[in-house]
Every structure is written in structure tokens, then in C-alpha cells.
Amino acid sequence: MTTQWFGERVERREDERLVRGAGRFLDDAGHDALAAAFVRSPYAHARIAGIDAGAALDVDGLVGVYTWEDLPGRLADPLPLLIPHPDLSHPRTQYALARGEVNHVGEAVAMVVAVDRYVAEDAADRIAVDYEPLPAVVGLDAARAADRLVHEDVPGNVAAVTTQELGDAAAAIGAAPHVLELDLAMERSLSSPLEGRGVHARWDEEDGRLRLRTSTQTSTGVRAAVANILGLPDVAVDVITPDVGGGFGTKVLHPYPEEVLVPWAARMLGREVKWVEDRYEHFVSATHERGQQHHVRVGFDGDGTILGLEVDFWHDTGAYTPYGIVLPIITATQLPGPYRHRHYRVTFTSLYTNTVTVTPYRGAGRPQGCFVMERTMDRIAETLGLGRDEVRARNLIGPDEFPYDFGMVFQDGRPLIYDSGDYPGLLNRLRDLVGWDGFVAERDAAAAAGRRLGIGLACYVEGTGVGPYEGAHVHVETNGRVMVATGLTSQGQGHETVFAQIVADELGVDVGDVYVTTGDTRRFPYAVGTYASRAAVMSGNAVALASRAVRAKAVRIAAEALEAAADDLDIAGGVVHVRGTPSRGIPLSQVAVLSNPLRYSFSTEAQAATQFASAPDPDVAPVPDGDEPGLEARDYYSPVRSTFAAGMHAAVVEVDPELGTVAILRYAVVHDCGPLINPMIVEGQIHGGVAQGVAGALLERMAYDAAGNLANANFMDFLMPYLSEVPTPEIAHSETPSPLNPLGIKGAGEAGVIPVSACLAAAIEDAVGVRMDRMPISPPELWAALEARR
Amino acid sequence: MRVTFPVAAPPAAWAALADPDRVADALPGCRSATADGDGTLAVVADVAVASVRGLWSGRVTRLDGDAVRITGAGAPGTVDVTVRADTGRTALTVEGEVGGPLGTVGGSVLAAAARRLAEDLLAGVADPASPGPGPDPGAAVRRRGRAGAAVAVAATVVGAVAVAGWRRRRGAAGGRP
């Protein structure tokens, strides 16, 4: 009897503690720690003429006030440029505390440490910073105009200009029978996880070790940066990611200033220090994303086949570029979507503005690229009087065309080659799922009743599982528990469950006997992080490979004990047994005992491994050359390039022309991330992604005024979707395996969010005929557009 | 640390700094100030900067011009700074090294504490009738309406004098530099 866990809707093992309130989040630790608070710039752009902490002296319980002047060694240098790129001609990163100049509202100017957060905030309020305001550059129009500069030594506010080209797009467009030009734009938003950032540091003087807890998406990244900046040995820094209440990209940036300042203070003061981001701080100091303007030229023939595509776009990178130009590279390389392109040129300009720094937010450049490509498809269909599905179908890459090489470089520095997929199959399933063909009748019936319905669809391809690698350690203990560690972090994805499913299948044990730890450098020190829909692909394959090594060792040891041939053995129910003879077997727990030759027994079971318990071969060492004690193994998975998932969304909306409101009547998702480890968890990812997509399409924007003040930096004014705005999508899965990894899987974390703006824009446009060329669209904006036409 | 701040004191105040008894009366937290005959002043003071508090003892040595060097140590930390008045005695510059717990409060706090100490000292020696520290320096601080907060680093001049002090961190702090 073999149980298959892979593919099952196994309930999330982490939920038992999370829903009972027994999770351990950052703020659940360090109740006796000193508290840090930050003085943050109220100006978008200013020089700092002086900082007077005099009035803070009267606050009882103050421990210290720290400015850039106080920072020693590398802590006084600009924070690391995480992802350099040859085209990033003018990289700029911030100082941990502002050095003479601030470049966005919210930039950290001083850190206050006190006996508790109340005292720290009181003291922070009394610190007088003498600012000399400078003109601010806010928004892409101002950045492109470059009448004012963010960094005076960065001409034109230009951080980078990059071009990639496949074929000769200009010539192909020049020869095309039809040419369209479009301008398309998307606004800024931010991740807004339930739990903001937070850091808790403890310096152990006796051991000379720093223990740092941080709500991050990369504990090993933080560890390397903190050790380097504070001048500590790597092995003296432990970084632990506790339960994390959402990341959505913003927590992959590291080190944030607080992640180096708090441990520095803890070590200097010899006291635990903690900082927990408040919601205002999240709005003005955790990174944002999405602001881009695009100009499109497309040439196509009479049946809608794209002949050439040129896209120029401008990316708002905010005040600094710690994450390099990864985001616009993703837009540039994911914009082609599931379509055949022979001639494609894309050029982007990354521009500084006096706003919060931009790094990936779930979707990461893809929602913009998808919006551009899909709006272009809709315009081609409109121009030719063809069906929107029809035009897409004519351009889709066929199932027999893989691997499909774009001749471009993807965000991981590796070739942009689609590995597998069935895009026409997805389109057919989507049409069925949403009722595409019957919609005309539905719309006409509604129109007869005075209702304005529209339908839209949008398609995307998502590069997932980017390298360079992840690893895993799998250890079968003598009590039969299987302890698994992988270095990347979890922010609620369900890793404890899906990795346990993989291990349970590989080792033939119950999923309940597998215990997974993520994001703890003490357990696994080599890792990259959780971003780019990569955890399942990267760590999933790593745990599979490590489990296979453990399995091979278990079978070898059991074969000896059972005096059977290894090839004849199988593992099921936690017992290694002779295939076909379940009674002739040995539990994995006992194999674990035998794997570790003992002088000293520690239990009745362990006596079997002691030196007089058996008559060994006198010429073979207890641990032969090339072997190691213990039933455990470590292995790594490193892909040659990314694997490409795909999906398509369709929505039926109703627009109220009097109110400008949009109601989503139906939402359909077809999705292909290869074989599903746990369909329930994938569907949860899609639900959440669609919710964030709806937010980005209809609600969320960062309301910066011309001076760079963020006018809606709170949950009263920044609109998040409620259940009333979020549809429950109908979901259909396709499972096209990837040839690139042992499990054949692809990533699913960001998929849900990517095409939503494009899809809803198309549906709204279909409903009311108003051109939808920028997202999000608010009810007042839609109402005004309708009014303008009346 | 290096900090310059303006001071305003009548000539009488500067002259009074030469009198150890006046200094002892006027300096917040001062337990004793004793001239030892070779031009230096031995100072013992309770010092408090932010949460760093404790007994500190040191020496104030007169240098050429309107300058003194202050050195000393105690539970709050170590101090080795020069305090120098500008030509018109309108500003003081404090420059040097502060170590131990006092060295962990941050430069802006040290600067603010030095300035406050200098202002309090100059105001106190200029007007002996003003509330002085008395036997309980903490009470003196409270009388001045700065309950619990405090004094600190630093210094002042002369013709003459200055001071600094520190104190131990709270019991729970158990700290290290």
C-alpha cells in the first residue's frame, strides 16, 4: 500500500498554529528588549543642516540617539547595491541613516533607542532636524522632464537605459500593412502585508554571537550583509526568520537600514534591541512598485498576426536603486507573453524620483508588461474587427514550438527560453470556463434591461524558479521523525506542507512525520531567498534530491540488516521492506539507529548500534571511507535557467455609468504551473493574487502630491479590497511538466496578480467603450471619462 | 566627539570659574571640586546622560588660552576632551574622546548634554543665588525642572573650568561598551 502525497489537497500544517494565534511572529519575541524608533524625513528632498537632540535629553528612559555621524566603519557607507548590471550607469543606494541629504519622505535620519517604544517615540518627537528643503522630483513626468534632479550628479535623473532586440523590429513595422501606436501607463502601489517589517537583535557577549530575527524574505541575504557591514565573522551571525505575516516582495530588499542599525545598537549596548515597523513607516519606508509609462508601436497583418513590436518605457525607480534594474528587465522580457514574436525591440529608461525606493512587489514588472501586450492585442482586434480571442489564438506559440528561444536575456542573466506549455489549450479552456462564446447574448440581454456588461481576457507567461540555487538537509532521526531544513524563508505560502509532501513521497513516510524548517541560518546556511515564484521549484527540488540521497542510504543499510538485495527493497509507511513481503522489513527509525555506529547506547533501540551488538566484518571500518554517520543528506538544486508558467484570466464586469463603479460578476482563471504539489495551496495563491490584482486595477495607488508627500499613507485613504470587491475565481488547472527539474514543477506564487489589470481594463472597455489606457481606474475617473463622452 | 555651541555669560561668570567652591556649588551633580595647587581641579560628580548614570571623577587642567582639558573615568565611562572658548568667549568647542557607556548614547546626545552642562555651570557660577545642586545633585536637577534627565558630558571654561560626568546604566542594563 503506497500513499501518494504529491498532488493531494493536504491541509496546511502551519495553519494549526497560525489560526490559533500560536504563531511566533517578530513582535512575539523580545518583550524585554530596548525599543528603537526612527526619525524620518518629512521632506521629499532636503539638505540636513543640523540635528539637535537636546530636547530628547529630558525624556526619561532614553538610551541613545544615533545619526550618520555615529556610524562606524562600513555602517557609514551606502547600503549594498544588491544587483549590479552593466547598464546601470548611475546606481545610488541610501545610507543607513541619511548623510546630509534626504531623498524621500520617510527616509531614516536618526535612530532613537529607549526603554520602550513609547519612550523612544517621545524622544524621537523631540529631536529637531534642521532641513533645507530642495525642489522635489515626483512622478515620471517630472523625472523625464529633468528640470530638477534627485541626485545632483545623475544627469537627467537617468539611472539606466537598456535595449534588447530580437530581429529588426523597426524594419518589420515599417513593412507591416497595419501599424498602431499606443501610450499605456500603470500606477504605483505597495505590498501592504498584514505584518510590516521588524527586527530583533541579541548580542551574546559570552559566545560572541549575534542572533538576529527579521521579518525578511531572505535570511541568508541579511546574514551576509550584516556580517559584512558590522565586521563580524559570518559564522558569528545567526539570522532567523520567524513566522512572517506576508511579504509580497517588499521584504526581499535587504538589508533595510533597520536590519543593520538594530543589531549594531544591540551589540554596542549589550542589550536586546527591537524595532517593529508601524503602518505609516510601511507606507513611507518599505519599498513600492509598478509606476511605469509605455509607448508601443506594433505592426501587424490583416489577420492580426504581429509582425513587429517596439516598446519604449520609463520606469520610476524611486530615490535609490538597491535592486538594480531587475524590475524593468522583467517587464521587458515578460511583455512578449505567450505570443510568437519575430521582431521585438524594447528600450527602457529607469528614472530617479524623490519617492520611496522601488523593488519588486508580487508580479514584479509583469503586470505592466502584460497590460501593455494585452491592451495591444485588444487594439489590434478592434482595428481589424476581429475577435479578441481570435487575434490572440493566431499569435500563440504552439505546443510543438518548445523550447521557444527569444534570443534575449532574462532577469536571472540566463537565456529567455520558454521550456514548455500549451497556450492554445489554455485559451480554449478559458473560453469554456468563462462562457466566452455565449457572452454576446448575455450582454445583449443585460443591455435590454439597462445594464452595461463587458468581458475581457488577458494572457501571461511567468518566468519562475529563478536560480542560482537552493539546498536542503533531510535527517531521519532515531525516533522516526524526518527533520527537513531549507534556507529560503516562508511568508505564509505553505512551505511546511508542500515540502513535507515531497519528502513523504520520496522517503515513503507519513506527511505528519516530516517537520520542515525554513529561513533559519542555523539549520541551513546556504540559500538565496523567497521571491520570483521560486520556492516550490527551487527548494521543492532540493528537498526531493536530498530525500533521494537519504532514501538510497536507508535502503543500503536496511539491505545489510535484512540480508536482502537493495534493489528488492521499498519504503512505505516508514518501513523499509522487501518488495512484495511487507512483513520482512525494518522501520526507518531503526535504520537511523544503525546508520550511526555507537559506543554508548542511549535507549533500548539504540543498543542495536553498539559495538558488541553484532558481528561485523573485521576488515570494514564502522564508518567506511566515503560514508558518514547518520541517516541524513544535504543536496542542492541549481537550474540552468528559469521555467515558464502560464495562465489566462477572463472577467465579466458590470459598470454603473452613474456611479462609475465596476462590479466583477465572474472571474475565470486557467493556470499551468506544471504538476501541482497541492492544488488547494495553488488555488489559495491564485485567490490571493487575484485579490491583489483587483486592488491594483481598481483601488490602490500612492497619492503623492507635487511636493512628494504621500497623502494616503494610512488605511483610511489607501484603499485595499474587501471581500466585497474580491471575486471568487473559477479556476481550471493544466499541468504541463517542465523538462528542467526533477519534479517537473513551475512556480505559482505571483501568477494570480499578473493579468488582472489588463483583464479588467479590457472588460471595462468592452462594457462602456471608454479607452482604458492606464490603471488603476477609480470610480470618479471612470465617471469623468463617461461624462466627457456624453 | 567634536561640537561647538554658543554660550552667553557675563565676565563675572568666567571669573568665578576660577573658584573651586563656586564651581562645586554651580556644577550640576558635583560632589566636590578641589584645587590641587598645580593648576588643576579635581572633580567628583554624579553624571547622567540619557540612561547612563553614575559617579565620575576627573581632572580639569588649564591649558594655554581659554581652554581646559578634562580627563577622567567612572562607571559612566571615560572622558578625554578639550574645551576651548573662542576669542570673544561667545562659543565653546568640545573635542575629544568619550568612551564606555557614555560613548554609546550617540554624538548628538553628547553634544546636547555638553551644551546643557556648560550653560548650567555658567549660569550657576554667575548667580550663586540661583538654585544650586546642594547635597543631592538629583534634587538639584529636579529643582531645575529636569526630573531624572540630566546632565552630562562636558565642560566649560575659563579662565577656568569645566566638567563632565556620567553614571551607571540602570541595574537591568548590565552592560558592556
Side-chain angles (χ1 to χ4, degrees):
Chain A
M1 176 208 73
T2 304
T3 307
Q4 171 85 24
W5 297 103
F6 191 111
E8 290 301 309
R9 294 175 175 268
V10 176
E11 286 192 3
R12 285 166 38 112
R13 303 196 58 203
E14 41 276 88
D15 285 349
E16 193 274 334
R17 72 170 186 281
L18 295 178
V19 301
R20 282 196 303 115
R24 294 286 294 173
F25 294 86
L26 190 284
D27 204 16
D28 291 318
H31 289 302
D32 298 326
L34 298 174
F38 288 83
V39 176
R40 297 184 185 278
S41 174
Y43 291 100
H45 198 191
R47 284 201 186 84
I48 299 173
I51 300 173
D52 182 357
L57 282 178
D58 294 330
V59 178
D60 196 18
L62 175 70
V63 172
V65 177
Y66 310 100
T67 67
W68 179 84
E69 305 279 344
D70 294 309
L71 304 182
R74 291 187 175 184
L75 194 54
D77 293 340
L79 292 173
L81 174 60
L82 293 176
I83 310 178
H85 189 285
D87 290 342
L88 180 60
S89 57
H90 292 78
R92 294 292 180 272
T93 60
Q94 72 177 110
Y95 291 90
L97 292 168
R99 181 185 185 185
E101 181 178 336
V102 286
N103 281 302
H104 66 83
V105 169
E107 184 164 353
V109 173
M111 175 172 71
V112 178
V113 175
V115 292
D116 62 37
R117 184 66 175 263
Y118 298 100
V119 174
E121 294 285 354
D122 284 350
D125 283 349
R126 291 174 176 227
I127 292 169
V129 182
D130 183 6
Y131 295 100
E132 293 170 355
L134 297 166
V137 180
V138 180
L140 276 168
D141 290 338
R144 290 172 67 177
D147 301 327
R148 305 181 294 271
L149 297 179
V150 175
H151 304 288
E152 61 185 21
D153 56 349
V154 178
N157 294 313
V158 175
V161 180
T162 288
T163 294
Q164 290 208 59
E165 182 156 23
L166 167 74
D168 185 343
I173 294 168
H178 303 276
V179 176
L180 274 175
E181 297 203 26
L182 296 78
D183 288 294
L184 300 160
M186 196 170 279
E187 284 270 0
R188 231 179 216 248
S189 189
L190 87 169
S191 294
S192 293
L194 267 178
E195 183 203 24
R197 300 179 293 123
V199 185
H200 169 227
R202 189 172 86 175
W203 174 256
D204 186 322
E205 180 68 23
E206 282 69 34
D207 291 348
R209 293 185 77 78
L210 176 68
R211 192 175 74 190
L212 182 61
R213 292 179 194 275
T214 175
S215 189
T216 184
Q217 293 176 223
T218 170
S219 47
T220 50
V222 172
R223 178 178 184 242
V226 167
N228 181 268
I229 290 169
L230 299 186
L232 294 167
D234 284 1
V235 294
V237 179
D238 298 320
V239 177
I240 302 154
T241 304
D243 282 323
V244 171
F248 307 116
T250 192
K251 293 179 184 175
V252 80
L253 177 62
H254 67 278
Y256 272 101
E258 300 86 355
E259 285 176 321
V260 289
L261 293 168
V262 168
W264 167 68
R267 185 184 180 203
M268 174 175 65
L269 296 168
R271 297 281 308 272
E272 291 182 41
V273 180
K274 183 166 80 169
W275 167 76
V276 176
E277 184 180 64
D278 68 29
R279 191 52 63 175
Y280 175 74
E281 290 182 296
H282 184 74
F283 274 100
V284 299
S285 68
T287 52
H288 299 174
E289 206 224 292
R290 298 265 201 276
Q292 282 182 187
Q293 299 176 342
H294 316 76
H295 180 74
V296 180
R297 281 186 78 229
V298 61
F300 49 99
D301 68 15
D303 71 0
T305 301
I306 290 176
L307 301 174
L309 177 67
E310 288 189 298
V311 179
D312 293 275
F313 73 92
W314 295 266
H315 171 80
D316 177 352
T317 195
Y320 302 103
T321 48
Y323 219 74
I325 52 173
V326 162
L327 280 168
I329 289 175
I330 297 174
T331 297
T333 52
Q334 300 263 256
L335 188 149
Y339 309 114
R340 220 178 276 118
H341 293 267
R342 304 289 184 221
H343 303 282
Y344 169 51
R345 176 193 60 80
V346 60
T347 301
F348 67 76
T349 306
S350 183
L351 293 155
Y352 287 109
T353 58
N354 288 114
T355 57
V356 175
T357 294
V358 165
T359 68
Y361 161 38
R362 194 179 196 181
R366 298 177 187 87
Q368 302 96 308
C370 180
F371 184 67
V372 169
M373 189 71 250
E374 294 301 301
R375 294 274 65 206
T376 301
M377 281 293 179
D378 288 340
R379 288 289 298 280
I380 293 171
E382 179 191 285
T383 303
L384 298 175
L386 297 172
R388 289 171 287 170
D389 55 333
E390 199 178 347
V391 167
R392 285 174 170 83
R394 284 178 188 160
N395 286 283
L396 289 176
I397 294 166
D400 53 350
E401 293 181 69
F402 295 96
Y404 191 93
D405 188 348
F406 277 90
M408 297 169 70
V409 179
F410 190 44
Q411 62 143 325
D412 51 2
R414 320 286 297 189
L416 180 69
I417 301 174
Y418 293 177
D419 52 331
S420 65
D422 178 6
Y423 307 149
L426 283 176
L427 183 58
N428 288 333
R429 295 190 72 179
L430 181 74
R431 282 195 294 220
D432 289 346
L433 194 61
V434 77
W436 185 269
D437 293 336
F439 180 72
V440 173
E442 186 181 341
R443 177 174 54 199
D444 292 347
R451 298 169 61 200
R452 312 276 285 273
L453 268 54
I455 193 169
L457 84 165
C459 314
Y460 68 93
V461 170
E462 182 195 1
T464 70
V466 301
Y469 73 89
E470 289 296 336
H473 181 251
V474 174
H475 180 198
V476 180
E477 294 190 337
T478 54
N479 52 30
R481 276 192 297 245
V482 183
M483 308 303 287
V484 179
T486 187
L488 58 64
T489 59
S490 298
Q491 301 94 50
Q493 289 92 340
H495 296 155
E496 289 172 48
T497 306
V498 294
F499 297 156
Q501 288 178 257
I502 292 167
V503 172
D505 276 356
E506 297 288 346
L507 284 183
V509 300
D510 189 275
V511 75
D513 289 331
V514 185
Y515 298 84
V516 177
T517 297
T518 60
D520 184 339
T521 63
R522 299 173 301 183
R523 293 287 308 280
F524 204 88
Y526 284 95
V528 186
T530 299
Y531 58 92
S533 305
R534 69 190 294 279
V537 178
M538 302 304 302
S539 280
N541 280 291
V543 300
L545 293 171
S547 298
R548 288 173 192 182
V550 169
R551 181 190 180 95
K553 182 167 187 178
V555 166
R556 175 167 56 77
I557 293 167
E560 239 171 82
L562 295 169
E563 295 178 337
D567 288 349
D568 292 338
L569 298 184
D570 196 6
I571 312 179
V575 177
V576 191
H577 63 90
V578 176
R579 205 172 272 113
T581 316
S583 59
R584 204 174 146 210
I586 175 173
L588 273 175
S589 56
Q590 192 62 15
V591 177
V593 166
L594 297 176
S595 74
N596 181 23
L598 295 173
R599 182 173 178 86
Y600 309 117
S601 172
F602 53 85
S603 68
T604 309
E605 294 78 13
Q607 289 175 10
T610 53
Q611 54 200 14
F612 300 109
S614 62
D617 183 337
D619 295 325
V620 176
V623 180
D625 281 354
D627 202 359
E628 290 177 356
L631 188 50
E632 59 183 300
R634 181 185 308 269
D635 207 345
Y636 296 85
Y637 170 65
S638 181
V640 290
R641 56 182 175 271
S642 296
T643 174
F644 289 80
M648 301 181 185
H649 291 195
V652 174
V653 304
E654 177 171 1
V655 176
D656 182 332
E658 300 305 318
L659 296 174
T661 51
V662 176
I664 301 170
L665 304 183
R666 282 209 298 287
Y667 203 93
V669 174
V670 295
H671 181 253
D672 186 352
C673 61
L676 300 168
I677 305 169
N678 185 324
M680 182 185 70
I681 284 178
V682 173
E683 285 160 15
Q685 286 281 20
I686 292 171
H687 285 189
V690 168
Q692 276 180 314
V694 168
L698 301 178
L699 298 167
E700 295 177 357
R701 69 183 74 211
M702 309 313 292
Y704 276 108
D705 66 17
N709 301 299
L710 186 55
N712 63 343
N714 60 74
F715 280 159
M716 284 290 286
D717 299 308
F718 177 84
L719 302 178
M720 292 183 83
Y722 298 158
L723 269 180
S724 48
E725 281 81 41
V726 177
T728 300
E730 296 167 65
I731 300 172
H733 299 288
S734 290
E735 300 188 55
T736 311
S738 169
L740 298 180
N741 64 73
L743 297 173
I745 57 180
K746 304 180 177 186
E750 297 169 274
V753 79
I754 294 170
V756 182
S757 276
C759 180
L760 291 178
I764 295 166
E765 188 171 294
D766 187 50
V768 294
V770 168
R771 188 73 76 206
M772 299 293 298
D773 53 12
R774 54 183 306 122
M775 292 298 262
I777 181 109
S778 67
E781 288 168 327
L782 185 52
W783 183 84
L786 289 164
E787 276 299 292
R789 222 186 34 182
R790 273 169 199 152
Chain B
M1 70 175 293
R2 186 179 195 284
V3 60
T4 298
F5 47 83
V7 288
W14 295 92
L17 287 171
D19 178 348
D21 292 339
R22 297 279 292 274
V23 170
D25 283 346
L27 182 68
C30 186
R31 293 190 178 190
S32 68
T34 315
D36 67 359
D38 63 355
T40 66
L41 191 68
V43 176
V44 177
D46 285 304
V47 170
V49 181
S51 299
V52 177
R53 287 159 198 251
L55 192 64
W56 182 89
S57 59
R59 304 179 72 77
V60 181
T61 306
R62 196 168 168 171
L63 306 175
D64 290 342
D66 265 0
V68 293
R69 182 176 176 200
I70 303 170
T71 58
T78 59
V79 176
D80 185 352
V81 299
T82 301
V83 184
R84 187 177 299 278
D86 68 346
T87 319
R89 290 179 170 173
T90 60
L92 291 180
T93 296
V94 183
E95 191 171 7
E97 299 298 324
V98 175
L102 270 177
T104 70
V105 301
S108 58
V109 170
L110 282 181
R115 177 174 183 173
R116 178 173 294 180
L117 187 68
E119 287 170 348
D120 287 353
L121 175 60
L122 284 168
V125 295
D127 178 11
S130 76
D136 172 5
V141 170
R142 284 192 291 277
R143 280 204 301 280
R144 293 176 188 208
R146 293 181 186 134
V151 182
V153 168
T156 303
V157 179
V158 167
V161 177
V163 173
W166 330 109
R167 63 149 140 117
R168 171 183 1 219
R169 286 134 84 189
R170 298 188 168 189
R176 57 177 297 285

